[in-house]
Amino acid sequence: MKLIATVASILFAAAAIAQQAPPQEPAPPTVAVVNGEIITAARLDALYANIPPGMRAQYEKAGGKKAFLDNYIAKRLLIQEAMKRGFDQRADVQQALEAARESALFDRYIREVVAADIVPESAVREFYEDNIDRYQAGEKVKLRHIVVSSNDRTEGQARELMARIFSEAQAHRITHPPDSEGNRRIFASRFAEMARKYSEDGVARDGGNLGWVERGQLDPKFEEVAFAMPEGVMSGIVGTRFGYHLILVEEKKPAAPQPYEEVRRDIREVLLSQKQAEIMTAVSRLTGELRRTSKVAVYSENLE
């Protein structure tokens, strides 16, 4: 009986501990896996935030983070290949990595500590509020499409094929009209399946997903239709120089100022460049003070 009681008490204690254990944090969302190397959304966001403003603007026109991710995957593949061949162990590469590390530390310390009083947060906020017109985000639409090209068929054949696809999509739309959020999601899912089946461009495998689009990024005829449509509605057949399209607007965002946190870093870069002379003076002053209070020995005779 003692043994049974002891076992029971151990089991009871284990159950109590299990109940008291804090819930595990959910795993961070994954955006890609490259030969077993996981790229999380947080890692991609950090990389994207650190690219120069001009380069980020180019990516925004080319597809935003999705375009950046495609390039980053290509970069990781080459880096993995280099590491397989032992490049990361080479002395010259190690020296370059150490130089890059020192440069990053030097740059961040100057920007975040030395320049903190020269370009304070209040100055960044004031510039944003005084120049809010510069930071207007245009109207955006989140789109999917199905496209049929006439490259390998006549215009008549392409239009006839698109007419059959339109009839199939229309049947799904009649079954799930866009009168509720649930119906819109169901129809978007059906539309994505059809895009994977019929569409003839690079985003077909992603269900025809074009993501968030601003005016000026796509064919003018395509945009004219897309920006005129309400959410959850599919277009008729739209002809452009790329072929014939069916367009689905999933969501819309009206024009509005970009949030401060989204443009804060870019504004600070502008102000830092304007205050470069003051920052360099502060750096010289600080290095002079550090030399006076540090032990530095220089052996000029050993310089080649």
Side-chain angles (χ1 to χ4, degrees), residues 225-236:
V225 175
F227 280 88
M229 291 162 53
E231 291 182 353
V233 172
M234 181 185 74
S235 72

Side-chain angles (χ1 to χ4, degrees), residues 143-197:
L143 302 174
R144 290 184 186 273
H145 82 143
I146 300 169
V147 59
V148 169
S149 168
S150 58
N151 289 342
D152 299 320
R153 55 176 72 92
T154 67
E155 289 287 335
Q157 289 170 332
R159 189 169 182 85
E160 182 182 350
L161 173 57
M162 180 52 82
R164 292 201 300 268
I165 297 170
F166 174 77
S167 296
E168 182 179 337
Q170 185 77 346
H172 287 307
R173 184 167 67 171
I174 292 169
T175 306
H176 300 288
D179 55 359
S180 70
E181 182 63 29
N183 275 355
R184 284 197 289 271
R185 283 199 301 269
I186 293 170
F187 180 64
S189 176
R190 296 285 190 273
F191 190 93
E193 289 175 12
M194 292 185 63
R196 282 186 280 269
K197 182 178 178 182

Side-chain angles (χ1 to χ4, degrees), residues 1 19-20 50 53 66 71 91 102 104 125 133 158 175 187-189 193 217-218 232 254 259 263 270 279 281 285 291:
M1 291 296 293
Q19 288 178 351
Q20 293 171 6
N50 279 316
K66 184 178 288 187
N71 280 349
E102 286 190 358
R125 171 70 74 170
D133 290 344
T175 306
F187 180 64
S189 176
E193 289 175 12
Q217 292 182 257
L218 300 173
V263 297
V270 170
I279 293 169
T281 298
R285 188 185 306 118
R291 273 182 173 272

Side-chain angles (χ1 to χ4, degrees), residues 141 143 218 221-230 247 249 252:
V141 288
L143 302 174
L218 300 173
K221 291 181 181 178
F222 188 102
E223 286 187 355
E224 183 181 355
V225 175
F227 280 88
M229 291 162 53
I247 306 168
V249 175
K252 301 186 84 170

Side-chain angles (χ1 to χ4, degrees), residues 39-50:
I39 301 172
T40 64
R43 175 178 167 187
L44 188 74
D45 288 346
L47 291 167
Y48 195 70
N50 279 316

Side-chain angles (χ1 to χ4, degrees), residues 27-163:
T30 297
V31 294
V33 180
V34 183
N35 292 326
E37 179 187 355
I38 295 173
I39 301 172
T40 64
R43 175 178 167 187
L44 188 74
D45 288 346
L47 291 167
Y48 195 70
N50 279 316
I51 61 178
M55 188 179 295
R56 194 178 320 127
Q58 292 179 7
Y59 273 117
E60 291 295 339
K61 291 180 181 178
K65 287 183 184 175
K66 184 178 288 187
F68 179 74
L69 177 60
D70 287 342
N71 280 349
Y72 185 63
I73 288 171
K75 181 179 179 180
R76 291 308 306 171
L77 287 169
L78 285 173
I79 289 173
Q80 288 176 2
E81 190 64 22
M83 292 178 72
K84 283 180 192 175
R85 294 170 178 263
F87 270 63
D88 57 323
Q89 301 302 318
R90 280 175 34 168
D92 59 336
V93 174
Q94 291 286 339
Q95 290 166 5
L97 290 171
E98 180 59 25
R101 178 177 176 275
E102 286 190 358
S103 179
L105 283 169
F106 179 84
D107 182 71
R108 291 299 175 89
Y109 188 77
I110 289 174
R111 289 170 182 275
E112 296 178 18
V113 178
V114 179
D117 293 333
I118 299 170
V119 183
E121 187 69 21
S122 58
V124 180
R125 171 70 74 170
E126 183 180 359
F127 187 92
Y128 171 76
E129 292 173 354
D130 290 346
N131 298 274
I132 194 70
D133 290 344
R134 293 191 191 183
Y135 303 103
Q136 292 290 324
E139 180 186 7
K140 292 183 180 180
V141 288
K142 189 177 182 184
L143 302 174
R144 290 184 186 273
H145 82 143
I146 300 169
V147 59
V148 169
S149 168
S150 58
N151 289 342
D152 299 320
R153 55 176 72 92
T154 67
E155 289 287 335
Q157 289 170 332
R159 189 169 182 85
E160 182 182 350
L161 173 57
M162 180 52 82

Side-chain angles (χ1 to χ4, degrees), residues 282-300:
V283 169
S284 297
R285 188 185 306 118
L286 176 59
T287 54
E289 291 172 3
L290 291 172
R291 273 182 173 272
R292 286 192 296 273
T293 57
S294 302
K295 295 179 180 180
V296 179
V298 178
Y299 302 95
S300 301

